[in-house]
Amino acid sequence: LKPYDTAHRNILLMTSRQTEKSTTVGNKLLAMGVYLPGRSSLFVTPSAMQTTVFSRTRLDEIIDVSPMMKALTHRSLTMNILEKRFVTDYKIYLRYAYLNADRTRGVSVNNLFCDEIQDLIGDTMPVLEETISHHKGGMRVYSGTPKSFSNNIESYWSKFSTQSEWVIPCERHGASPAGWHWNILGPENLGKTGPICNKCGGPISPEHPQAQWVEMNPGAEFEGYRICRLMVP
């Protein structure tokens, strides 16, 4: 299921807190080591602490509990906070770039992952993207939580993304999907015990079998997904 199952090369995740955003990014990073041997990825956050926590909890802990990932490591290969290498010749570099991107200069990779991009200074993004300039067909995966209407992730979302929304039906308004009321989750969907229809106030389920991603700005550069707390079981 999207945003995991997609062939798009540019992905934007604009999310609430506690929606498994960093877990998703970490899983994508590790999966490349399995099905794309010989490649390399760069992961960047604004701070050294964020990068350290991600390296330990979203990569190391997953490697430790996954027999498949554990089989791709070896004691002779680098496996520290800032660099991880696998027997498939896949490499992950981890850096931080709050005020500038100097720590990423000289790094050349196939894929660029940036988390918490709302706190990255806008001028650093073109410098970070230079790390993938010599590689064709690589991925860009950017994620973060807006916190305001004036930051990097809000800019990418409004200008460069498909603005995909998880649309949930309320069947009380018709006998077929054509007549149902379709909800795009927001504050008006907050009920006392769970999500409610913003038209009739009845309960709705984010796991409804007909619920689906709908692109509000199709054909954009990034396949963008807004993931809010009301969507999370």
Side-chain angles (χ1 to χ4, degrees):
L1 296 178
K2 294 183 176 181
Y4 273 101
D5 186 13
T6 175
H8 207 287
R9 309 311 298 175
N10 301 312
I11 300 171
L12 181 72
L13 304 176
M14 188 172 78
T15 77
S16 302
R17 295 298 183 194
Q18 303 303 315
T19 55
E20 285 68 60
K21 162 182 61 69
S22 296
T23 299
T24 300
V25 173
N27 290 344
K28 281 183 170 290
L29 265 170
L30 291 173
M32 287 187 175
V34 177
Y35 67 83
L36 291 175
R39 303 295 185 92
S40 56
S41 297
L42 171 64
F43 173 84
V44 180
T45 72
S47 74
M49 179 60 72
Q50 288 169 317
T51 295
T52 298
V53 170
F54 181 90
S55 180
R56 288 174 174 167
T57 64
R58 299 300 187 268
L59 298 181
D60 291 347
E61 290 185 3
I62 302 303
I63 293 170
D64 286 342
V65 300
S66 168
M68 177 181 290
M69 294 308 305
K70 194 71 174 177
L72 297 181
T73 64
H74 191 273
R75 71 181 70 182
S76 65
L77 297 174
T78 302
M79 189 64 63
N80 57 45
I81 289 174
L82 298 180
E83 183 177 342
K84 303 185 191 300
R85 293 176 178 259
F86 300 85
V87 297
T88 57
D89 195 34
Y90 175 60
K91 297 172 283 292
I92 300 176
Y93 302 101
L94 301 103
R95 300 290 187 271
Y96 57 98
Y98 179 54
L99 296 177
N100 57 64
D102 287 350
R103 294 173 186 83
T104 68
R105 296 184 188 276
V107 177
S108 181
V109 292
N110 301 96
N111 313 294
L112 175 63
F113 290 72
C114 297
D115 196 13
E116 305 294 356
I117 69 168
Q118 76 278 352
D119 294 326
L120 287 171
I121 296 175
D123 291 344
T124 66
M125 297 307 294
V127 180
L128 293 175
E129 292 187 345
E130 278 297 307
T131 62
I132 58 173
S133 62
H134 292 300
H135 301 275
K136 302 297 182 182
M139 289 183 66
R140 288 183 294 171
V141 179
Y142 299 163
S143 59
T145 301
K147 298 196 292 190
S148 73
F149 289 105
S150 180
N151 53 55
N152 261 341
I153 195 165
E154 184 64 36
S155 177
Y156 274 92
W157 174 261
S158 60
K159 297 177 182 177
F160 308 118
S161 90
T162 57
Q163 300 174 21
S164 298
E165 298 278 3
W166 188 244
V167 181
I168 303 168
C170 179
E171 300 181 37
R172 300 174 185 84
H173 307 279
S176 68
W180 295 346
H181 178 67
W182 295 82
N183 293 264
I184 297 176
L185 294 173
E188 64 277 8
N189 296 108
L190 284 167
K192 291 183 178 180
T193 59
I196 60 173
C197 175
N198 58 24
K199 186 173 183 179
C200 70
I204 57 174
S205 173
E207 298 178 272
H208 190 287
Q210 297 297 319
Q212 58 193 281
W213 289 108
V214 175
E215 294 183 350
M216 305 299 171
N217 183 34
E221 182 179 359
F222 279 79
E223 193 171 83
Y225 298 92
R226 184 177 72 91
I227 304 173
C228 67
R229 284 289 291 129
L230 283 174
M231 295 167 54
V232 179

